Amino acid sequence: MGGLDDPKLVRARLVESRIKEPSSLVRKAKQRGWRPDQALWCAEDLIGARVVCNNIEDVYRFQELLEEKLHTEVTVQDYISEPGDAGYRALHLNFRLSSFGRQVGCEVQIRSLLQDAWARLSHDDIYKGDDLPADLRERMKDLSDVLFSTDQIASRVRKRVAQVRIPDGGKSVESRLSRFYADVFGKSPPDYVVRESSDVASQFNEDQWKKLSSLLRDSSFKRRINEIYRKAFGLRANISERFTTCVRAIAYTEEAALSHLQSIVDTEVREIDLFQRREILSEMPDSIADFINQIARDPESIIPFAEILSATVYCSACGEVLVDPDVLEENLVEYYELEEAPGVSTAIRGSGLLTPDWDYPHLCVYHANQFRKD
Ligand SMILES: [Zn+2]
């Protein structure tokens, strides 16, 4: 993973990784009422890793870099902005990865050096004893607060050192934007991002710079940006798009910046859609007979055709693509301008492709059977 392991970008190291112990999995399954076979796939943190960074900035940068590499939904629990009762501080990321065709839950815990030190001290002293005296709990919380202040002092020192290193003192709009970008995302921005944003930010006053700095870290604004992307592409926005949208939001309003982003995304979707439809249609077999031959020869390869002919659904339980034989046949008749297309539906059913269940058209046959048994 280029970027994540470059020590110059984020000073982080992986200290632990593990696959969940069966005994703890069984306990969790009982608590949540999972069947044993479900437990393996339902556990949020079947695979776990812990990453320790030098300081808090690097914790969030590591999060950014990791999220950028993962093309999947990530749930974040921020125990740094909202520490646990006893003073636990860390960032927890939960996501699912595909493994052997199934989704496996993963949890990555990211901590600063000092947060990790605290967790290690209190893990031994506190979590092992259930009925802990209130005063001892309070002391651990004090310790956590003191270490947090120390982390913040270290951050200020680091920022100051970074400023000294910038030749013009970082006063120009371009260098300020670059620095903000690097502060939040842990790497230099692409040139076009700086160019695009510096026009918009050229008239910023000190107050607006301050607002930009906090908006870049604002998780609810980030969620709204990602939402626009997720609806359109099923992915989160990349960090450069997020950056320019934040700059716009400060110059105009958040709503204006989001609707600007929405219109960019809409245009992209239309272009991709048209392009893909054209690409796929150009590959369509020349005749219905060729189509049926292709089903027999290479069933998987007809899925894109089924998709643009609106003959696919996704199993609500497993998300697998299901090809509806009858809809496909109907729509192929129309596409090839025929009276009937005998054989398509039979060919699909004999092809090994997954098809929707008769009674539960939004489930694959396997999950419909599971459902009937339950
Ligand atoms: Zn299914």
Side-chain angles (χ1 to χ4, degrees):
M1 286 207 251
L4 283 181
D5 46 15
D6 182 343
K8 282 192 295 264
L9 290 179
V10 176
R11 286 169 292 171
R13 60 201 149 273
L14 182 69
V15 294
E16 266 167 45
S17 68
R18 53 133 185 71
I19 294 185
K20 209 166 186 54
E21 297 283 336
S23 65
S24 105
L25 200 59
V26 169
R27 203 175 338 109
K28 200 160 192 173
K30 277 185 188 151
Q31 279 168 8
R32 310 240 174 127
W34 297 328
R35 287 197 320 265
D37 60 319
Q38 287 176 319
L40 200 57
W41 308 109
C42 292
E44 291 301 316
D45 55 349
L46 184 65
I47 295 174
R50 183 171 299 142
V51 173
V52 175
C53 301
N54 278 13
N55 53 49
I56 294 180
E57 277 77 29
D58 283 348
V59 169
Y60 287 108
R61 280 175 190 163
F62 191 89
Q63 174 200 2
E64 289 293 342
L65 292 173
L66 186 63
E67 286 190 3
E68 218 194 6
K69 298 288 171 200
L70 292 168
H71 291 282
T72 180
E73 186 91 21
V74 178
T75 315
V76 181
Q77 281 172 290
D78 189 342
Y79 297 112
I80 298 176
S81 62
E82 282 177 59
D85 285 341
Y88 178 75
R89 286 180 159 93
L91 207 60
H92 288 194
L93 308 187
N94 289 91
F95 50 90
R96 307 182 84 76
L97 289 181
S98 296
S99 170
F100 305 109
R102 309 211 54 167
Q103 299 282 309
V104 180
C106 303
E107 179 172 278
V108 176
Q109 303 177 353
I110 317 172
R111 300 170 177 171
S112 74
L113 261 179
L114 295 180
Q115 287 164 351
D116 189 57
W118 181 90
R120 280 163 191 274
L121 287 171
S122 53
H123 186 74
D124 294 337
D125 299 341
I126 292 200
Y127 292 144
K128 302 249 164 95
D130 278 342
D131 298 313
L132 201 82
D135 66 310
L136 184 49
R137 234 184 142 73
E138 278 305 307
R139 291 293 78 76
M140 289 314 289
K141 196 173 172 310
D142 288 346
L143 179 59
S144 168
D145 291 344
V146 168
L147 292 173
F148 183 61
S149 311
T150 311
D151 255 340
Q152 287 179 310
I153 293 170
S155 293
R156 285 197 288 274
V157 170
R158 193 181 180 199
K159 268 193 196 135
R160 183 74 189 91
V161 170
Q163 267 171 18
V164 173
R165 285 208 203 104
I166 296 172
D168 68 348
K171 288 286 193 290
S172 76
V173 173
E174 284 81 2
S175 70
R176 276 187 113 162
L177 287 169
S178 302
R179 204 172 66 239
F180 272 45
Y181 190 103
D183 268 354
V184 179
F185 304 127
K187 57 182 178 188
S188 309
D191 284 344
Y192 78 91
V193 174
V194 177
R195 237 179 299 122
E196 225 184 283
S197 306
S198 60
D199 286 342
V200 183
S202 59
Q203 304 297 325
F204 276 9
N205 58 35
E206 283 312 307
D207 194 41
Q208 286 174 303
W209 283 110
K210 242 180 247 158
K211 281 189 186 146
L212 177 60
S213 164
S214 64
L215 190 62
L216 284 168
R217 294 173 168 84
D218 183 309
S219 55
S220 78
F221 193 60
K222 173 177 164 183
R223 246 196 315 279
R224 294 179 70 191
I225 292 172
N226 282 338
E227 202 44 45
I228 290 177
Y229 267 80
R230 198 153 16 238
K231 278 201 190 118
F233 307 115
L235 296 174
R236 356 170 290 126
N238 72 41
I239 56 186
S240 294
E241 282 142 354
R242 231 179 85 205
F243 186 81
T244 46
T245 303
C246 287
V247 174
R248 267 173 199 286
I250 299 298
Y252 314 111
T253 63
E254 290 187 10
E255 294 314 313
L258 290 174
S259 63
H260 181 86
L261 181 67
Q262 183 71 60
S263 68
I264 294 174
V265 165
D266 288 346
T267 313
E268 266 179 61
V269 167
R270 269 195 303 275
E271 282 167 1
I272 293 171
D273 242 36
L274 274 175
F275 179 75
Q276 277 183 343
R277 288 184 71 87
R278 231 179 292 138
E279 286 281 287
I280 293 169
L281 283 173
S282 75
E283 300 286 316
M284 274 288 272
D286 294 331
S287 69
I288 192 86
D290 288 347
F291 197 100
I292 292 171
N293 280 336
Q294 192 168 331
I295 297 174
R297 205 175 55 242
D298 185 6
E300 297 273 323
S301 74
I302 65 99
I303 291 175
F305 304 137
E307 226 145 37
I308 60 165
L309 292 171
S310 318
T312 52
V313 285
Y314 294 87
C315 171
S316 315
C318 61
E320 288 289 351
V321 61
L322 314 174
V323 178
D324 188 317
D326 302 314
V327 176
L328 182 64
E329 184 162 297
E330 247 170 69
N331 292 348
L332 279 173
V333 167
E334 211 167 295
Y335 176 82
Y336 289 113
E337 298 173 1
L338 304 168
E339 295 296 310
E340 49 173 11
V344 171
S345 134
T346 319
I348 292 290
R349 284 184 221 282
S351 68
L353 288 171
L354 295 177
T355 52
D357 186 74
W358 278 108
D359 303 319
Y360 303 101
H362 284 279
L363 290 175
C364 67
V365 176
Y366 173 80
H367 281 107
N369 283 335
Q370 293 284 102
F371 188 71
R372 274 186 278 262
K373 264 188 253 165
D374 295 347

